[in-house]
Amino acid sequence: MPESYTPWRRYLEDLRPHLKGRDHRGRRGSLRWLEALMAERGGRSGTVRNILYKDLGSPEEKERLYELLKELYQEAGLEPPPPPAELFLETARKTLGRDKRRIFRRFLKELEAGERPQVVVVGGPATGKGVLLAALSRALFALPGREPHLLNLGGEVAQALVPLAEALGVAEKVRGLLAQLSPTQPYALQGALAQEALLLLAQALNREGRPLLLRAEAEGTLEGLPLRSPEGERQGLAAWLEFFLKKLHIPYLAALSEPPPTLPYQPLSPPSREEARRFVRERLPHLPPERLEALVNQAGRNFGELSRLVLLEAAKHDPRTPLQEDPTLRPFLLALAAFSPEADPAFPVALLEKALGKSRERFSQAERALLEWVGEDRVRPALRGLLPGEAPRELHLLALEHFPPEHTFRRLYHARKAGERGILLGLLQEDPARLALLPGLWEEAQAWPREDLEALAAVVVRYRAVLGQYAHPEAEAALAVLSGAKDPALRAWARIKAAEARVDAGFYREAEALLPKREDLALLDETGQAEGLLVMAAVERWKGDYERAALLVSQAQGLPVAPFLRDRVLLWQGLVAKDLGRYEEALRALAQVGHDPLLRGRARYQMGDLLMRLGRLEAKARMAEGLKALEEAGAPRDEVARVRARYATLLRRLGLYEEAGKAIQKALEEAEDPFTQARIRSEAGILEAAWGHPLEALGHLRAAEAYFRTTPERPKEARYRHLRTLFRLGAAYLLLEAGQPYRPPFLGSLTAPQAERLLEGLLSEIPKEATDRYTALRLDAASLLALLLPPKEAKALLRPFLGLENPYLRAQARLGYAEALVREGSYGEALAQVVALPPLEDPGLLAQAWAVEVLALLGLGEEEAAWEKLLEVRQGDLPWAFRFQLGQALGRFCPELKGRLDPGPLALAEALGFYLANPD
């Protein structure tokens, strides 16, 4: 073939018969026509002739001409020819050193000529074997029918041989041979089996005919065993592969780390500094010069290190960079993936050293670039997005062995990833709340053995029960699993948890029907028995048998329960003690709840609620603490909304109406359950009544009353909420008809017919239960009604409440009674009632006490002493709203105070209100 007959000329001559006619450039297919077309594409027309006849031209011009010819072939309906080998060589010239360019060129030339090149090159870790193979791979993948098989061997070689066998259709036979390998076999048999597997692969490659690009490290193992010859001698990878290479009849390039025993090979030299620069520039063309030099300096004359650093640099800008394909970096990346979960990314570097079998001093530059140091001995990934999704089980087992028991999350995480279900279930049974650290575990466990699934189901039910999520799909599915268990103890426990769910929803009759018999409790362990006793206590509490409920809780307290249940037992101890009026016992028990975040939040809320009922200012801090804990623990939205609304009630009682309004609004936004929404609207109504907005109050209360009157949900609770809302309607009408906001002080001699009818009817409907909530409701209704009655009837109405055990309610009743005494003219007796009160913290009670005392002093003619009291109020800590209300209320009844200040155009009531409310 003459020298001028280049591949380019052949491509054009094969194309010309298919290019017919003429266009504005001339006759299609002529040299001048092609030159004009090349110029239109941004090329130089003068280079066309040199490329066609002499194969001379820049790589850019050759690529432009090839793309143009390729388009013309496609327009003609022809299969485009492969790019000439020279075109690949020009590209490779930028990155390959002289020796590697020669090998690259020879291999492609021989392949293009229809020959069968078989080349072995040998070089250490710094000589660019991977660079040469990568360049050849890109060239061969561009040649139709020449796409190569890639085989990268190092470490455990079965991980690469089996995927190749799958691609070649001989996986079953190869796996069968590898499965026969055993450390107890004679070494010669191990070697013979391995050689038979290699022969199968060679024969399959020969049948397919595609080239092979192979890279091999110095050492390797097969199914964990050393590599051996058929004679049983131990071998390195190069010697072990020689038999395989000799059986191949296809083109191949084998890049080995050590020379083969008999095959000819060509040595590779390390890259020059300029070669390293070209390598980086080709792969990262936009890299600033200073960064390019930094990478070259970092790698030295080590192509392997340089290629990995370039990969890392590229990966920073494109997460799709195939970093994991690098055989040296892959073990490092897998270890990082195993040891650095997103929830806890930092880990001891000693664990990484143990996994890789080398000290940190021997980490390569690329490996160091993958690490971010957190202190002296801890690291985390610098580029998390580059880590593989999963890591081998062996690495998780190593981590599980490394982390001590106090590292709970780590042990849970690695036990799960390693498939160590016994350890995982043990940790979860110690504390079901740990399930929150393992999202998706329930779905994953559906494939577990039945015994393990049932054990996890018990954990799931306990975890969801603590959260109050009995209707959660996981909880329902787990209960179904337990209900069908063979073990009668599990079935009995499932009934207890199903009853617990009914209690939580307020369906106590259904809960009672589900409860197991006392003898069935004996089937359960102490923790299960305690859970059953607590549910029984809840049912007894619903029935009103508080003594019985307290006894059941006491029995649960006497059992040695699992740590996760202790908080729940203490919470229930606090609740039943609160019911029975054992306030200090209740506060002590609730204060001890501290392990489970959710139960701690509930306990602090209950403490705040009880302290509020006792009129103690500490209530605000405790309830705020409980609300915050519930939010942080991820409590159900409706529970958070209920607690926030109760917190708003406390703020209202403290006279902090702005804060209370914001809390109520947020609670309304959070509430999802209609029952909870109605409850919050009822709270919003009484807040509006305190603020002095009668119509807004009636709007909220009307909606809440209608819901509680008609809902079939939670009938016992709905009954109480309905009666409480009727009381609040009475308070709203007291504001609308008599102008008395629902805030202290409350002074009588008012007229409000609708409020009176509502309150009288309510008092006849309130059950005679001896519970705090109904006692408080009866007293609230009686206190408001007393303001509308003559003094004698008011005193008779309030007298039964004067001996109440709850100090706040007792003080409220005594102050209401004292207000009636003042109206009756019994000033000395009224003062005696106030003086007999214990020290008061609640600002509402204090405002009421000030008002009664000032009225009694004025009634006794002690005008100067009364005025001194008012000056004390003016300089005191009472909330603004209460001071204004005190002045306004006294201004209605005490005309003798008019001389103490100049009211100007205002009435005395408002003038005195502003005077007390604004001390400056």
Side-chain angles (χ1 to χ4, degrees), residues 12 16 19 25-35:
L12 181 59
R16 270 176 174 157
L19 300 174
R25 305 178 195 91
R27 184 167 58 83
R28 286 167 58 82
S30 69
L31 193 58
R32 289 186 181 280
W33 178 85
L34 190 59
E35 287 174 339

Side-chain angles (χ1 to χ4, degrees), residues 817-860:
Y817 188 80
E819 189 275 337
L821 287 170
V822 167
R823 282 192 283 138
E824 187 183 54
S826 303
Y827 305 120
E829 191 179 347
L831 272 178
Q833 288 286 347
V834 173
V835 172
L837 289 173
L840 301 175
E841 295 182 24
D842 182 83
L845 294 182
L846 283 167
Q848 187 74 23
W850 285 112
V852 170
E853 192 170 359
V854 168
L855 285 170
L857 287 170
L858 288 172
L860 292 169

Side-chain angles (χ1 to χ4, degrees), residues 389-558:
E390 290 296 333
R393 175 176 181 266
E394 292 73 21
L395 288 170
H396 290 290
L397 285 171
L398 188 67
L400 189 58
E401 181 184 303
H402 179 86
F403 285 104
E406 57 267 24
H407 289 259
T408 306
F409 170 73
R410 283 297 192 157
R411 293 188 61 76
L412 284 166
Y413 176 80
H414 294 297
R416 179 185 186 181
K417 291 291 185 179
E420 291 292 320
R421 287 193 295 274
I423 296 175
L424 180 62
L425 287 168
L427 289 166
L428 292 173
Q429 286 162 345
E430 285 176 13
D431 186 355
R434 292 170 177 169
L435 201 60
L437 302 174
L438 302 172
L441 184 64
W442 176 250
E443 292 82 357
E444 180 185 311
Q446 301 311 300
W448 288 6
R450 180 73 187 186
E451 185 178 350
D452 290 341
L453 179 62
E454 289 176 355
L456 181 63
V459 172
V460 167
V461 169
R462 278 182 167 135
Y463 168 61
R464 294 294 173 189
V466 169
L467 295 176
Q469 297 174 349
Y470 295 95
H472 192 283
E474 281 188 6
E476 293 180 343
L479 270 177
V481 168
L482 295 172
S483 299
K486 291 182 180 178
D487 185 351
L490 275 179
R491 293 198 302 274
W493 186 77
R495 287 174 66 86
I496 287 171
K497 301 312 281 187
E500 192 175 286
R502 300 303 189 280
V503 165
D504 187 72
F507 300 125
Y508 291 91
R509 291 194 190 281
E510 293 181 29
E512 187 176 21
L514 283 169
L515 283 173
K517 298 175 181 175
R518 287 301 294 259
E519 54 266 27
D520 292 334
L521 287 181
L523 297 171
L524 306 176
D525 62 12
E526 288 88 350
T527 297
Q529 291 178 37
E531 288 175 298
L533 289 167
L534 293 181
V535 180
M536 291 175 179
V539 172
E540 294 301 327
R541 188 170 179 248
W542 165 69
K543 290 178 179 178
D545 192 341
Y546 301 106
E547 295 290 349
R548 173 71 177 155
L551 177 63
L552 290 166
V553 172
S554 176
Q555 290 173 1
Q557 281 180 274

Side-chain angles (χ1 to χ4, degrees), residues 31 220 263 752 816 851 862 914:
L31 193 58
L263 283 173
E862 300 288 342
F914 284 118

